[in-house]
Amino acid sequence: MTPKDVLKLTKEKGAKMVDFKFLDFIGIWQHFSVPINELSEDIFEEGLGFDGSSIRGWQPIHASDMLVMPDPATAIMDPFSETPTMSLICDIVDPITKESYSRDPRNIAKKAEAYLKSTGIGDVAYFGPEPEFFILDDVRFSTGANHSFFYLDSNEGIWNTGREEGPNLGYKPRHKEGYFPVPPTDSQEDIRSEMCLVMEQVGIQVERQHHEVATAGQAEIDMRFDSLVKMGDKLMWFKYVVKNVAKRWGKTVTFMPKPIFGDNGSGMHVHQSIWKGGKPLFAGNEYGGMSQMAMWYIGGILKHARALNAFCNPGTNSYRRLVPGFEAPINLAYSSRNRSASIRIPMYSPSPKSKRIEVRFPDPSANGYLAFAAMLMAGLDGIQNKIDPGQPLDKDIYGLSPEELSKVPSAAGSLEEALEALKADHEFLLKGDVFTQDVIDTWIEYKKKHEIDPVKLRPVPHEFFLYYDC
């Protein structure tokens, strides 16, 4: 779609406003809107100015001017605005140099796609994330010098079987039994279906929706795979749609990896493959029907997994889910069918087009553009250096003896460990100037200053249970 096409589309749809969306460094959509008569073809070339110092992880105040450059190919009518509004996803540009901004996550994703093509290995990398989330009915949290608490509630929560509901009908999924009973135990079929239909309005092809394992409204909606940048865009629309449909129903959604104690957290398994000239490159005669290239790609992911955790599991809460011996796959091994491995080779179909790997440790708090780009760069490093992934692990990893388990490396155990791993292992990300040293340093500095240290400094409620009478 060209700028001229966008102007034509706005007239056809009766748009009265234009909304410019872009992603901050951490992974939250930002936006501002202008009346439709302010939209011209020139904006697509000249951009619109904004204050980059007010965006997390971006510019200092003495160099704050930045430009948003709308991408005409992303023009979609916003499905939630009461005023008819055309939405455009934007890239970020330096107003002086006119160069793409190095800390713009979408720019990093674009550079990863360009680097793949430059290697000659392939011309497109496909990604298919499976973001899980909780649909809740109430959330309250507060922290201060003398208090700290959070409180979540769900009409589905198993803890509410004894609550006066006038009447309480009792259909509430037990812990770890939400996958996947029919209604009335699954009370959220209709809200998830509405989410799917709105996703289709914004160009997301939905493959399925279902209740997930946990009680209290854990859900999953699966999208059909797409190329890296397009899937980064779709993941942002996905979160936007899910949250806003939930709000219509008087509910709230969180993509926090581990909001509820004692039940499964929310992961984001990411399917990925490389193609060239319209042909899949991951099908072959190696283990699980994979090609040698795919095995090397797996080798790269496994080698760099702890550094990848810094982008794929980017919050302190991520590591409440990645705990040894529990549901999340923290052991760095690969297998076909075995869902306790951190990399799985799906075996649903023998078709070469279906051959892909599924990386299972990421979670949906990740900035999709950065996580997908980082995994692609790790996989390409594996291909370029012919990194052997070792032998597959087809046993149930949770049933291994301590001696056997000691031979299997594990993912980072905390965000601090992940950032240390990234600090020591990031050369593979710098190839092709995809990630810059400034991006790596800023990510580490931001996460330590704004997330790790504030969490470290605060007592948590369970510590009072453990230590108050010491």
Side-chain angles (χ1 to χ4, degrees):
M1 187 177 292
T2 66
K4 192 181 293 294
D5 293 331
V6 175
L7 296 178
K8 181 181 177 182
L9 185 62
T10 59
K11 291 180 180 178
E12 291 175 356
K13 298 293 185 179
K16 298 184 183 300
M17 298 291 291
V18 182
D19 195 52
F20 300 96
K21 295 179 173 71
F22 62 96
L23 198 67
D24 72 8
F25 195 46
I26 308 306
I28 303 296
W29 244 355
Q30 313 294 313
H31 82 127
F32 63 89
S33 303
V34 302
I36 193 66
N37 57 14
E38 292 294 315
L39 184 66
S40 67
E41 290 187 53
D42 291 343
I43 284 177
F44 293 89
E45 294 294 329
E46 298 173 2
L48 290 168
F50 72 101
D51 177 8
S53 69
S54 296
I55 305 299
R56 296 183 299 174
W58 278 10
Q59 291 293 92
I61 196 166
H62 64 272
S64 60
D65 288 353
M66 303 294 290
L67 291 175
V68 295
M69 305 294 291
D71 182 346
T74 65
I76 295 173
M77 290 297 290
D78 191 299
F80 298 103
S81 300
E82 289 189 22
T83 302
T85 301
M86 179 64 68
S87 175
L88 289 161
I89 297 176
C90 302
D91 298 310
I92 309 302
V93 168
D94 185 290
I96 306 301
T97 65
K98 302 299 182 183
E99 293 180 353
S100 297
Y101 186 41
S102 64
R103 297 184 197 174
D104 174 14
R106 196 166 189 261
N107 175 41
I108 292 170
K110 282 185 169 184
K111 288 191 292 182
E113 286 191 323
Y115 178 69
L116 168 63
K117 293 177 182 177
S118 75
T119 64
I121 291 170
D123 49 35
V124 61
Y126 286 115
F127 287 82
E130 299 175 346
E132 297 168 350
F133 53 94
F134 280 87
I135 304 171
L136 301 167
D137 291 283
D138 189 31
V139 55
R140 289 178 278 133
F141 49 89
S142 181
T143 181
N146 67 329
H147 77 279
S148 179
F149 80 91
F150 73 90
Y151 180 85
L152 305 178
D153 204 4
S154 165
N155 294 335
E156 270 200 358
I158 189 63
W159 52 81
N160 282 324
T161 54
R163 185 174 67 177
E164 289 286 347
E165 294 183 351
N168 189 325
L169 301 179
Y171 292 107
K172 303 179 192 300
R174 289 177 285 271
H175 287 297
K176 299 184 183 294
E177 294 186 22
Y179 187 91
F180 23 60
V182 298
T185 302
D186 176 5
S187 68
Q188 297 181 343
E189 169 73 13
D190 288 333
I191 185 173
R192 294 194 308 269
S193 292
E194 182 175 325
M195 290 170 178
C196 293
L197 295 177
V198 177
M199 286 181 191
E200 289 181 343
Q201 290 179 35
V202 299
I204 296 173
Q205 184 176 345
V206 175
E207 293 189 329
R208 71 178 68 185
Q209 60 92 343
H210 58 83
H211 203 290
E212 255 300 337
V213 172
T215 188
Q218 192 182 35
E220 180 178 315
I221 299 175
D222 295 338
M223 300 175 278
R224 184 168 177 78
F225 65 87
D226 210 335
S227 56
L228 195 160
V229 174
K230 288 182 179 178
M231 184 49 74
D233 293 344
K234 287 180 178 180
L235 182 59
M236 296 314 301
W237 272 113
F238 181 102
K239 291 186 174 183
Y240 184 73
V241 167
V242 164
K243 290 176 181 179
N244 281 284
V245 169
K247 187 172 181 290
R248 278 180 182 172
W249 286 64
K251 296 180 184 289
T252 180
V253 159
T254 182
F255 287 91
M256 277 180 67
K258 192 72 172 180
I260 294 174
F261 168 70
D263 213 334
N264 281 30
S266 293
M268 185 176 72
H269 308 150
V270 182
H271 298 255
Q272 46 204 282
S273 63
I274 297 177
W275 291 47
K276 187 174 184 179
K279 295 182 179 180
L281 301 182
F282 275 14
N285 298 317
E286 299 295 319
Y287 174 84
M290 304 299 279
S291 66
Q292 182 61 70
M293 177 187 290
M295 301 309 292
W296 288 332
Y297 190 100
I298 291 171
I301 296 285
L302 293 176
K303 177 181 177 180
H304 300 297
R306 290 172 67 88
L308 291 176
N309 287 144
F311 292 111
C312 296
N313 311 93
T316 59
N317 184 256
S318 297
Y319 300 87
R320 312 293 188 204
R321 169 179 169 262
L322 295 179
V323 177
F326 289 85
E327 78 276 3
I330 62 104
N331 297 290
L332 300 177
Y334 72 97
S335 176
S336 64
R337 303 183 67 184
N338 185 354
R339 293 172 189 264
S340 63
S342 59
I343 297 181
R344 184 174 75 98
I345 299 171
M347 300 298 289
Y348 296 124
S349 170
S351 169
K353 293 182 178 180
S354 298
K355 285 302 176 184
R356 61 198 188 274
I357 72 163
E358 177 193 31
V359 182
R360 294 177 61 80
F361 55 77
D363 69 59
S365 68
N367 179 328
Y369 297 106
L370 299 183
F372 302 157
M375 284 187 282
L376 176 60
M377 295 302 288
L380 291 177
D381 187 64
I383 294 169
Q384 290 164 330
N385 292 292
K386 300 182 179 180
I387 297 174
D388 184 355
Q391 293 299 309
L393 192 56
D394 290 329
K395 300 178 182 178
D396 178 1
I397 294 175
Y398 303 125
L400 294 179
S401 68
E403 182 181 354
E404 290 176 301
L405 196 58
S406 67
K407 299 174 183 176
V408 182
S410 62
S414 68
L415 180 57
E416 193 165 23
E417 282 186 25
L419 295 179
E420 287 300 317
L422 179 62
K423 184 185 291 186
D425 176 27
H426 60 261
E427 290 298 321
F428 70 100
L429 296 171
L430 303 180
K431 293 179 181 178
D433 200 39
V434 174
F435 287 76
T436 63
Q437 190 65 51
D438 171 69
V439 165
I440 302 296
D441 293 343
T442 303
W443 186 261
I444 293 171
E445 179 186 1
Y446 182 93
K447 290 288 176 178
K448 285 187 173 181
K449 180 178 178 181
H450 295 281
E451 298 180 28
I452 291 174
D453 288 348
V455 170
K456 269 186 174 182
L457 289 168
R458 285 166 170 78
V460 300
H462 196 67
E463 289 177 319
F464 285 83
F465 174 81
L466 293 173
Y467 307 124
Y468 186 77
D469 60 349
C470 63

